[in-house]
Amino acid sequence: MASASFLDGLALAATLTGDRGKAAEAGLAPELARSLDARVQEIRAADTRGRQRALGAIAVGLRPAIDAGAMLPARGAAILASEVPRTTGAAWMARAPLPRPGFRASAGLRATLRRLAGAPVDEAADRARGAVLAIERDERSATFVRIAIATGRDVEATLGAMERGAREGGDDRGARAGRELAALWERGCRG
């Protein structure tokens, strides 16, 4: 059985694209496709506010983890203070100047600050790892390659991040995807 976060990610993607999960289901093992369909139907059955809450909770779970030791400007750290442990947030707030009256951080600013405060990723190492994975000729590598191409990003960097996540962990999106794919692979749900 797939993890709830994997199904939630697919359900969120299906909802955002207006697909209702049918395109994703076509490439999944039957057991996984049924689980995805059930999750999408559960979200769709809720009232408008319930759907908004469910999708909002899924989206929050996809945010990158914030490194409490990140080197952010004092004001930037203060904007993220509510998203870290209380003692860290309090320290960040104490060193920041007061904002101008009425200031509200936009969602885009918060997202940018979260990325800056995330754990650093060695993209060159990911590309090198991905280049090796891309030339391997096994079924698992072929599945990773198909998924990496579908992201529309730098294929080798995406592959490397997925491989890193499958083997070593990590909190960025590619590593999380790799962990999920490795777990599915181990359970015999091959793409």
Side-chain angles (χ1 to χ4, degrees):
M1 185 65 180
S3 73
S5 62
F6 181 75
L7 289 175
D8 282 348
L10 288 175
L12 179 63
T15 302
L16 292 174
T17 60
D19 164 68
R20 304 205 190 323
K22 299 305 175 201
E25 286 177 19
L28 299 175
E31 171 191 337
L32 197 53
R34 285 189 297 275
S35 297
L36 174 60
D37 184 52
R39 182 64 175 130
V40 169
Q41 294 310 321
E42 177 186 332
I43 292 170
R44 290 190 67 218
D47 64 5
T48 302
R49 295 194 73 163
R51 276 193 306 277
Q52 289 173 343
R53 277 193 302 275
L55 294 172
I58 293 170
V60 166
L62 297 175
R63 288 182 184 164
I66 296 174
D67 179 6
M71 299 300 294
L72 289 173
R75 287 184 175 156
I79 289 171
L80 296 179
S82 66
E83 300 181 33
V84 294
R86 177 170 257 158
T87 54
T88 303
W92 286 0
M93 292 294 291
R95 68 182 177 132
L98 292 174
R100 69 179 181 273
F103 173 78
R104 292 185 59 85
S106 70
L109 175 59
R110 285 181 165 284
T112 300
L113 289 170
R114 273 188 215 101
R115 278 193 295 280
L116 291 173
V121 173
D122 185 349
E123 289 186 26
D126 279 350
R127 273 192 200 67
R129 193 179 290 115
V132 170
L133 185 64
I135 60 173
E136 291 181 5
R137 297 288 178 220
D138 63 2
E139 188 181 352
R140 177 179 174 268
S141 298
T143 300
F144 273 42
V145 169
R146 282 196 309 272
I147 292 168
I149 290 170
T151 66
R153 297 184 184 148
D154 179 335
V155 172
E156 289 181 347
T158 302
L159 278 172
M162 289 191 302
E163 180 69 5
R164 174 172 39 84
R167 295 190 190 278
E168 304 162 19
D171 284 332
D172 58 285
R173 180 177 292 172
R176 287 192 309 261
R179 272 197 313 276
E180 295 285 355
L181 288 169
L184 288 170
W185 194 263
E186 293 302 315
R187 291 186 191 107
C189 301
R190 291 172 167 74

